[in-house]
Amino acid sequence: MELCAVIVGCYLGWVVLAIWPRKVVKLSPRILQDLLVLTGCSFCLPLLGSDVQTAVLTTLFALIMYNDLPSPWLGVNDRAVLITGCDQGLGHALALKLDTMGFQVFAGCLLMGGEGERKLVEKASSRLTTLQMDVSNQEQVLKAANTVAEKLGTKVLHGVVNNAGILLAGNMEIMAYSDIRKVMDVNCMGVINVYRAFMPLLRRPRRGTARLVNVASNIGLAPSALMGVYAASKASVAMLTETWRYEHKPMGIDVSTIIPSGFKTGILEYNKEEVGDRWWKTATQEVRDYFGRACFTPSPKRENYRDYLNADFSGITDCMADALLSTYPKPYYYKGLIARSIPFLYLHLPPWMWSLVMPYLSDNFIFPFVGPPR
């Protein structure tokens, strides 16, 4: 029993050492859960065997749970970071968060002079610089990279966060080719464009390591009905990021993937009727006759779906900050109600069982297909 108490005490010490340098005054629910489990085990395990067996098992539990603890953070020290997709959502929230932490932030915005860009300028300090960045436009991305290089001077770029993304839901045969290309150009080629333009800045001689952080999606790790194009684009981001993680470790660049789900980012708030009209006009007569007009405008199954989305971005921006500053950043950061669970179920359930649960987990749109006319 005494050995268990010592091990639990050591674990508490690890918690303090991990959290205190980051100046985080709260314990995460996962760490509190681990503490409760470990404390419970310290009382129950002595009933199962000798003190040595108890100590070994308790130590094993503690080491497993140690993985949940955050590693110490590097000092901010006016480090410079580029973030894409800062007009709204996660990119906007992250830009403001890192600015308050003392970073020199370069915030890429699609619409200079738009509401999102104006709010950044109003709320942030003079350290934050907004940049015109349509990530699918190579010329704009290269111009932004030159601007960042000029403003940095002899300083180095510590991190790049590829956050920009768009989503259009629909059957791929119905969607206009221009929109299919747009989703792939922004979500996948946009990451590649930013990577190629900013890697020379990340590779500058430095003390410590640089960071590349890419935002993927749980939909890129498990199928979701009417999300084929978006899923393909995010799956490519996840695999590119994992490949780069191995390629760039010898260069002193740590690479992480962010997997968010269920956040009220505004990515679903596009004009579906307008998009449906555009798709209807570009579709062949055979496709129109087969699917019918209603299929061109899929609507969410839950009218109040926004109520299920989390408007508090603090959890996911904490993950992004950890990926930028942790001395041992994680390869994957999952955050959100279904970020980890749906990919896990898809990978581990037998196909027949996944087919039964998918309509409840990954089929979120009404697709009123009634079959071809007789």
Side-chain angles (χ1 to χ4, degrees), residues 304-346:
N304 61 336
Y305 73 92
R306 295 179 184 85
D307 297 338
Y308 295 88
L309 301 178
N310 190 354
D312 180 7
F313 299 155
S314 59
I316 191 69
T317 54
D318 284 346
C319 290
M320 293 173 170
D322 190 78
L324 289 168
L325 287 177
S326 173
T327 51
Y328 299 101
K330 298 177 182 179
Y332 282 90
Y333 290 84
Y334 296 88
K335 198 67 179 180
L337 180 64
I338 56 176
R340 189 189 294 265
S341 58
I342 286 186
F344 178 85
L345 291 174
Y346 173 65

Side-chain angles (χ1 to χ4, degrees), residues 14 27 90 97 101 195 218 225 266 276 303 337 341 355 357 374:
W14 290 338
L27 294 173
L90 301 182
K97 177 185 178 67
M101 292 174 64
Y195 168 85
N218 64 293
E303 291 185 5
L337 180 64
S341 58
S355 297
V357 301
R374 296 183 182 276

Side-chain angles (χ1 to χ4, degrees), residues 266-304:
I267 196 169
L268 289 170
E269 304 305 317
Y270 62 92
N271 190 326
K272 297 176 181 62
E273 287 292 337
E274 180 184 313
V275 171
D277 288 339
R278 185 168 69 247
W279 293 352
W280 179 259
K281 292 175 183 176
T282 62
T284 65
Q285 190 61 48
E286 191 276 336
V287 169
R288 293 182 187 179
D289 292 341
Y290 186 83
F291 287 98
R293 177 62 182 83
C295 289
F296 283 70
T297 312
S299 57
K301 284 185 174 180
R302 299 182 182 89
E303 291 185 5
N304 61 336

Side-chain angles (χ1 to χ4, degrees), residues 84 135 161-166 183-193 195 212-221 229-245 255-260 331-332:
T84 67
V135 295
V161 180
N162 277 302
N163 165 75
I166 59 172
V183 173
M184 296 301 294
D185 283 346
V186 172
N187 295 355
C188 176
M189 290 306 301
V191 171
I192 294 173
N193 291 340
Y195 168 85
L212 176 62
V213 181
N214 294 334
V215 180
S217 170
N218 64 293
I219 294 176
L221 304 179
V229 178
Y230 180 77
S233 68
K234 287 299 186 180
S236 65
V237 170
M239 187 51 65
L240 278 172
T241 309
E242 187 69 356
T243 302
W244 290 340
R245 184 166 71 88
V255 183
S256 297
T257 308
I258 308 293
I259 310 289
Y332 282 90

Side-chain angles (χ1 to χ4, degrees), residues 128-184:
L128 186 143
T129 302
T130 56
L131 303 168
Q132 172 74 57
M133 275 191 75
D134 175 354
V135 295
S136 65
N137 186 319
Q138 285 181 286
E139 291 183 2
Q140 279 192 19
V141 174
L142 288 170
K143 184 178 179 181
N146 291 332
T147 301
V148 170
E150 291 173 4
K151 288 187 174 291
L152 285 176
T154 58
K155 294 172 60 177
V156 298
L157 182 66
H158 172 71
V160 169
V161 180
N162 277 302
N163 165 75
I166 59 172
L167 184 156
L168 295 174
N171 176 282
M172 202 176 298
E173 192 176 3
I174 286 173
M175 296 176 70
Y177 269 114
S178 58
D179 284 322
I180 293 173
R181 285 193 295 268
K182 182 178 181 181
V183 173
M184 296 301 294

